[in-house]
Amino acid sequence: MLRPITEQDRELFVQLADEFYHSSACLHTVPKEYFHKTLDEILADSPYAKGYIFEKDGKAAGYALLSLTYSNEAGGLVCLVEEAYVIPEFQGCGLGKELFAFVEQEFSNVRRFRLEVTRSNERAISLYRRLGYEELDYIQMIKER
């Protein structure tokens, strides 16, 4: 099950996000203060940021963060799956498939769905390919401020 993240999930979200950023799915860590800022943005009902908690058998099983933007290249809205983390004991239970089915239904007006994945995260890459995602031949660049 997937449900919107709430203020009551703050400690859980910070814990799970910290686990995610200390996993092989990420290339670097992120300060915990950023997790609080992200949750504040989601709870302020930002049109650009959405957050969800995975639950399985009544237990928290992970989280997902989405961001929305407009793209000229896509000819409309783009939904970026920013983060999708499933606690290891719940991996392989179909929660990833559930997330992507939900996202495509909930954001049916979106023209493109996009995500990032580390090359070493072969399990996730396999899932994304089965769901119809393709690799882009871009070099991603950032400039921090």
Side-chain angles (χ1 to χ4, degrees):
M1 182 180 100
L2 204 60
R3 64 169 176 79
I5 198 166
T6 68
E7 177 62 43
Q8 289 72 35
D9 297 312
R10 186 173 292 272
E11 285 184 40
L12 172 65
F13 170 67
V14 170
Q15 173 194 334
L16 294 175
D18 193 52
E19 287 176 20
F20 174 72
Y21 277 98
H22 283 90
S23 76
S24 62
C26 295
L27 299 176
H28 57 84
T29 60
V30 171
K32 285 185 181 181
E33 66 195 59
Y34 289 9
F35 307 152
H36 290 281
K37 290 173 69 171
T38 297
L39 187 55
D40 291 343
E41 188 73 18
I42 291 166
L43 295 176
D45 205 25
S46 169
Y48 308 110
K50 307 294 179 198
Y52 302 91
I53 296 291
F54 292 111
E55 290 183 343
K56 179 78 173 163
D57 300 327
K59 297 179 185 175
Y63 76 96
L65 298 178
L66 310 175
S67 64
L68 298 163
T69 188
Y70 188 91
S71 169
N72 185 51
E73 179 180 330
L77 289 176
V78 174
C79 177
L80 177 61
V81 180
E82 290 277 353
E83 298 173 18
Y85 176 65
V86 177
I87 296 170
E89 70 183 89
F90 294 102
Q91 292 176 1
C93 294
L95 294 173
K97 288 181 189 174
E98 182 181 332
L99 167 66
F100 287 94
F102 168 83
V103 167
E104 288 189 26
Q105 181 178 355
E106 185 73 13
F107 299 96
S108 59
N109 60 331
V110 164
R111 298 272 308 165
R112 176 181 288 167
F113 296 94
R114 192 168 177 156
L115 54 81
E116 296 176 355
V117 61
T118 57
R119 293 191 189 283
S120 64
N121 197 345
E122 294 174 11
R123 187 174 183 169
I125 291 170
S126 177
L127 169 65
Y128 303 149
R129 284 184 176 144
R130 285 193 312 271
L131 294 174
Y133 285 76
E134 303 172 357
E135 287 184 44
L136 294 174
D137 194 23
Y138 285 110
I139 296 172
Q140 186 161 346
M141 301 171 71
I142 62 171
K143 179 180 178 181
E144 300 285 349
R145 291 189 70 176

